Structure formats: structure tokens, C-alpha cells
Amino acid sequence: MNRAVMLLRLTSIHPLLWIVIALSIATGYFLEVCLLLAIIFIHEMGHAVAASFFSWRIKRITLLPFGGVAEMDEHGNRPLKEETIVVIAGPLQHLWMMAAGYVLFSMELISEDLFKLFINYNVMILVFNLFPVWPLDGGKLVFLLLSLKNSFPSAHRLTLLISFFSLSMFSLMILLAAPSHINVWVIIAFLFFSLYHEWKQRRFIFMRFLLERYYGKKSGLQALKPIQANEQDLLIHVLEKFQRGCKHPIIVEAEGKEKGTLDENELLHAYFTEKRLTDKISDLLFSY
């Protein structure tokens, strides 16, 4: 009960949404807007409840004029299984909502028109959210999938490139099929802006990932995945090989022979605490 109250307190409505609600009243579409907002709210609460179950730090849940967002104060260091559950918890809400709508319609508690509208809204939001575009749920799933084999910065960069390509193709389809659909173009513009902002901030996002890895909880990092590093490699270049969901012992080599090993925390300590920004791995090996 306390957890539910906390999530409700974190929920806010964007000021522009109040204008949309006012316009819906004036134009006679209040029921449709309320229905859409209720579906979006349940979708976002699905993410929030799953995140709360895993004790994630939830910043806020915001309802926007064209959707919603559940913001988490987590930066890529939770187990991949946890992150996958939190991401798919939103889309899964549409399945039980559509089933509940069918039951209500079968019991003649709602009209056929309302039932069809409810189903259409659910399908629309479900399909749209699964598009492989960041920051939609589909884009986050692409990031998680790429993180299985790629380093954090590589997976992040590839996710944004795939998102840009997918969004460009979607924009072309809309241009050919429904060029006058203003609402869709507003959403497309918002997604392009989000991608641009994420791309500009990608170095900061990587540094935040490393910082939380150094100062944050380590309980989720269970799998060991050694990183082979040449003694002449720069510290930052080795850090750029770090992946999500695993811990890295660093094996330092020279001329094909192993010279020693370093713990990932030794690299993070050297970079963030000792400010050894331009050091080579060999410098750390002799220090520690």
C-alpha cells in the first residue's frame, strides 16, 4: 500500500497536457482523451511497479500530451534480466487490459463503440512502443540485446544509429501514407529531438555508467568476463570495453605474454579518484 502511494505521489501531469484536456472538453473528445490517458498511465505504472519491486530509484512518472515516461535514477548497472523485466512490464499491461475490455464487452457493461476504441488505443500504444527507437520500449530492448555482446558505449551508439534509421523509415512511411497527420509529426519531432539529445550526451552517459559502477552497488555484477589489454593501451580505452551485467578482471599482456592482472575497481579508482586520465595500463600495473 505504501509503495502504491509513493508511486502515485511521483506521478505528475505535464502542463501542456492540461491544455489538451481543456481542448478535449471544448471539442467533445473528453472521453476519448481520458481513455487514452488511463491506458498510458497503466502502461507507465507497469514499468514503475516492476522497478519498485527491484528497489530501483524512481525519479518521477510524467504524463505527456503524446504519451508518458517513467524516469529512473539508474544508469545501466542493474542486472540485464532486471532491466528486461522492467522494460517489458509496460507493454504487458496492454494484454490484460484488452482481455478485461473483452470481458466487460461480453457482459454488455460497455458499448461496442467504446470496446473497439479501447482495443484500438491499446494496440496502437503497444505496437508504437515496441518500435526499435530510443527512448521507446523497443529501443531499450535493442540496447539490452546489444549489451549482451558489446561494450556499453558500443551498444549505446549502435542503439542510437538503429533508432535513427528506424525513425527515418517510419517518417518516410508517414510522409507517403498520411502527410497531414499533425499529431504523428509532433511525436516524430519529439523522438528525433530525444535521439539528438541522447547522441550529444552519450559521453556523459558513459561516464555516469562508470561512476555508478565505481561508487554504486556491486551486487548485480556477478558474471566474470576478463578483458585482454596490452600494456600500452590507455586507461580510458580499456574502460571503454566495459559491459553491462558483468565484472571485468583486466589481464595485462606484453608481446603475447601475461604480465599481470588488475581489478576493474583499480582502473576506476585511478581514473576518477587519482585523475590519471592519460595513463597507460602499464603505469597502473606498476603502481598497484
Side-chain angles (χ1 to χ4, degrees):
M1 184 65 180
N2 291 336
R3 190 171 290 182
V5 172
M6 180 199 71
L7 293 178
L8 289 175
R9 286 178 176 175
L10 291 173
T11 304
S12 62
I13 296 178
H14 193 278
L16 289 176
L17 183 53
W18 290 113
I19 298 176
V20 173
I21 293 173
L23 290 173
S24 70
I25 295 173
T27 56
Y29 287 98
F30 181 68
L31 176 62
E32 288 82 353
V33 170
C34 286
L35 188 62
L36 187 60
L37 290 179
I39 294 171
I40 292 172
F41 173 74
I42 293 173
H43 176 107
E44 297 304 328
M45 287 299 290
H47 292 305
V49 169
S52 178
F53 176 80
F54 292 116
S55 299
W56 285 26
R57 297 161 295 181
I58 304 170
K59 293 174 65 176
R60 67 181 67 89
I61 304 163
T62 308
L63 298 181
L64 304 167
F66 40 78
V69 59
E71 296 181 53
M72 314 294 176
D73 196 16
E74 304 291 338
H75 308 297
N77 284 299
R78 291 286 186 165
L80 294 179
K81 182 184 292 186
E82 275 189 22
E83 295 205 32
T84 302
I85 292 172
V86 172
V87 170
I88 65 175
L92 284 177
Q93 304 309 307
H94 299 286
L95 301 182
W96 74 260
M97 281 194 284
M98 287 189 284
Y102 178 77
V103 170
L104 293 175
F105 174 65
S106 300
M107 298 173 64
E108 298 184 351
L109 295 176
I110 59 175
S111 67
E112 183 177 357
D113 289 341
L114 182 58
F115 170 67
K116 289 181 178 179
L117 185 64
F118 183 69
I119 295 297
N120 288 339
Y121 280 169
N122 270 284
V123 171
M124 176 183 68
I125 296 172
L126 174 61
V127 172
F128 180 74
N129 264 280
L130 291 178
F131 278 5
V133 175
W134 184 271
L136 301 177
D137 296 335
K140 293 177 180 177
L141 290 174
V142 169
F143 190 15
L144 290 171
L145 183 62
L146 292 172
S147 296
L148 293 173
K149 297 294 183 182
N150 297 277
S151 66
F152 183 95
S154 294
H156 189 226
R157 183 176 63 254
L158 284 171
T159 297
L160 297 182
L161 292 174
I162 291 171
S163 297
F164 180 79
F165 176 79
S166 300
L167 187 57
S168 298
M169 292 298 99
F170 178 71
S171 301
L172 182 60
M173 289 172 54
I174 295 299
L175 183 63
L176 296 174
S180 60
H181 209 308
I182 302 300
N183 292 340
V184 176
W185 286 115
V186 171
I187 296 173
I188 289 173
F190 170 77
L191 291 175
F192 268 122
F193 174 79
S194 298
L195 282 175
Y196 171 77
H197 183 266
E198 190 80 6
W199 181 265
K200 294 285 288 185
Q201 295 291 316
R202 67 189 186 281
R203 196 64 182 178
F204 167 75
I205 292 169
F206 174 55
M207 288 295 114
R208 190 175 59 184
F209 161 75
L210 292 178
L211 272 170
E212 187 176 77
R213 195 179 183 104
Y214 181 43
Y215 293 109
K217 298 178 180 179
K218 308 295 190 304
S219 58
L221 304 176
Q222 298 175 350
L224 289 177
K225 187 169 186 179
I227 290 178
Q228 309 280 340
N230 187 278
E231 65 172 354
Q232 297 301 313
D233 289 345
L234 292 177
L235 170 59
I236 185 60
H237 291 161
V238 179
L239 291 174
E240 287 172 349
K241 297 179 181 180
F242 279 25
Q243 290 183 222
R244 303 167 73 177
C246 55
K247 185 175 177 64
H248 299 298
I250 315 301
I251 301 174
V252 183
E253 298 179 342
E255 299 178 352
K257 297 181 179 180
E258 182 178 328
K259 291 195 64 176
T261 60
L262 292 166
D263 184 81
E264 68 168 50
N265 267 12
E266 292 174 332
L267 274 68
L268 294 167
H269 179 79
Y271 192 82
F272 289 111
T273 303
E274 298 181 356
K275 309 298 181 184
R276 299 169 68 171
L277 307 183
T278 59
D279 276 16
K280 297 177 181 178
I281 288 296
S282 58
D283 300 327
L284 272 66
L285 192 61
F286 296 137
S287 299
Y288 298 117

